[in-house]
Amino acid sequence: MRWVRPAVTTAAAVLFWALLWFGLGPLVPVLSVLALTVPRVRRRVWPWLRPTRRTLGGVAAGVVLVAGLVWVVPDGRLPIPTGSGAWVTPGYTGRPIETKPIDLKIPQNEAMAPNGRSSMHEDAWASDAHPGPGPTGLSPQVDSAWYGVEECATLAFDSQGRMVGLCGTRSGPQLRVIDPESMRPLATKNLPDRPDSDKPPWADLCAGAYFYLDADDHAVVATTDRRILTVSTSDGSGDPDLATLDETDLSAVMPADDCLLAVLPDSAGRTWFVTQGGRIGYVTDGGRPRVLDLGEEVANSISSDADGGVYAVTVDALYRLHAGGSGPVVDWRTPYERGSGVKPGQLSQGAGTTPTLMPGGLIAITDNANPRMHVIVLRTGDGSEVCQTEVFDDDASATENSLVLVGPTGLVVENNEGYSSPLRTLLGRRPAGGLARVDVRDGRCSLTWTSPEVAPSSVAKLSLATGLLYAYTKRKSWLGVDAWYLTAIDPTTGRTAWSVRTGRGPLYNNHYSAITLGPDGSAYVATLAGLVRVRDRRQSG
């Protein structure tokens, strides 16, 4: 009588293999496939692994069940699926720190929601310095919410503590009101779809990255069909709701092949806008747009000061402008070294930073010089250079994220060189990375420290109340494990205080989204698949 292999044997072998994959990482299936190419191994092992019809049917049913749950269950009800490598990546390293508040005053733009709640870069200065607390590393708790394939790159907080997010899907952007505790969407508004483009979705910033929350809890957002919308975030009873209150059509002042990048108010409350094609302008009280064509590509947001100045960086120069009687007026234009081409990790040939204002009438950007980029500091009064200094290594320096103001004299720059797409971080890989602090003292720029932490593309944030710099980092793994971490760095010394693992796998890649610090000290990170939250352990009672 012929011996029949029990189905349970195959099931047990598959479960054992799955356990090894979960614990040791993607190298397990790779080595398994390689092993099966050896005839002797294949003859001995394959009879035990060859799936039966019952096993295949069970796997197919499981796949259909999971796919059905994803389709039926509303966004945010499930955690982001995690990948493999649980046994070979640390969940937490370092230790909690005592808070060391940093004394830094950022002027409040009265047309915007309070600093720290209004926009991707925290305030009109684009300081990325949050006035409130962040996690201290005390038994940090990590939670996540799965939105499918959707990234909420910019988050703000309304006066009731709810999150307002500009989220990107494969087809186009959405505006959402999100409960900060459950991370579930409370209201969703679909914005116009993204037009056909030769850029992949992850590199297309048109109307999908920047918005701001005004002083009345209204989201002011650019759209892909050349409009600026003012959208309420609650109804008359204070419940979450997204309804368009006003719109400005810019189709008469910008061509169809151009796109809106960012919006921000000046100190008088005028809404300014900038386009990828280099058009910059503002909306008058009567709703009429005034535009100036700079004739140079723009790939970043804008900032504004308390004296009516608005700052924009093109791929060629940094500009200061103000609102004149008939339109934008250029106060000064300062060119910088734009390098020989687009470096790996950049979206354009030029500065990758939104202009960051500093105390004392200074403003800072990075250039795109070869072999090393520079942090450049200028005077806001006339655009003259104060100082500049090189950062990182030869042929391994580029950034696509804003500088972080870490004190009255300090700036932190992040190295994104080599991060060309989410594929660049698969199978345990990571780019060169690094973060560096530059200080401006007595008219000189000096490199204070360099950190080896690798944040492939995160918009880092400083907590002024806690005194920590937060970056979203990745560790290299020879086992092919993609583990992502929220990492806290001492901005004074550059030493890493602690890191907590947020998840494993490509779905946890933040891909240029900003770290957002909430009113309660939680840190939120938007990933390619939803939201991750890190907060200190909450005491009971």
Side-chain angles (χ1 to χ4, degrees), residues 46 59 118 192 237 265 320 333 347 395 416 461 470 511 520:
W46 182 244
V59 171
S118 61
S237 301
R320 185 190 194 272
R333 174 186 184 273
L347 302 178
D395 302 317
N416 306 132
K461 290 294 173 69
Y470 300 95
H511 187 64
D520 67 346

Side-chain angles (χ1 to χ4, degrees), residues 114-179:
N115 290 348
R117 298 190 177 203
S118 61
S119 60
M120 174 185 284
H121 297 309
E122 303 293 333
D123 46 56
W125 273 22
S127 72
D128 288 293
H130 183 76
T136 64
L138 178 61
S139 300
Q141 174 184 336
V142 179
D143 302 289
S144 68
W146 191 13
Y147 296 167
V149 182
E150 180 177 328
E151 182 181 44
C152 300
T154 300
L155 297 169
F157 283 85
D158 67 15
S159 58
Q160 299 190 50
R162 297 178 297 223
M163 289 190 290
V164 181
L166 181 58
C167 308
T169 66
R170 295 189 65 181
S171 60
Q174 293 179 330
L175 200 61
R176 284 187 157 181
V177 179
I178 303 169
D179 175 47

Side-chain angles (χ1 to χ4, degrees), residues 66-77:
V66 171
L69 284 174
V70 174
W71 182 263
V72 173
V73 175
D75 287 349
R77 300 277 178 171

Side-chain angles (χ1 to χ4, degrees), residues 31-46:
L31 293 177
S32 300
V33 171
L34 291 176
L36 289 175
T37 63
V38 180
R40 181 179 298 179
V41 174
R42 187 169 60 250
R43 285 194 301 268
R44 290 180 176 272
V45 175
W46 182 244

Side-chain angles (χ1 to χ4, degrees), residues 278 294 296-299 312-319 333 336 349-351:
L294 301 177
E296 301 165 4
E297 181 187 352
V298 177
V313 62
T314 72
V315 297
D316 295 284
L318 176 62
Y319 287 80
R333 174 186 184 273
Y336 62 85
Q349 184 184 343

Side-chain angles (χ1 to χ4, degrees), residues 296-310:
E296 301 165 4
E297 181 187 352
V298 177
N300 296 281
S301 189
I302 54 180
S303 53
S304 65
D305 62 26
D307 301 316
V310 173

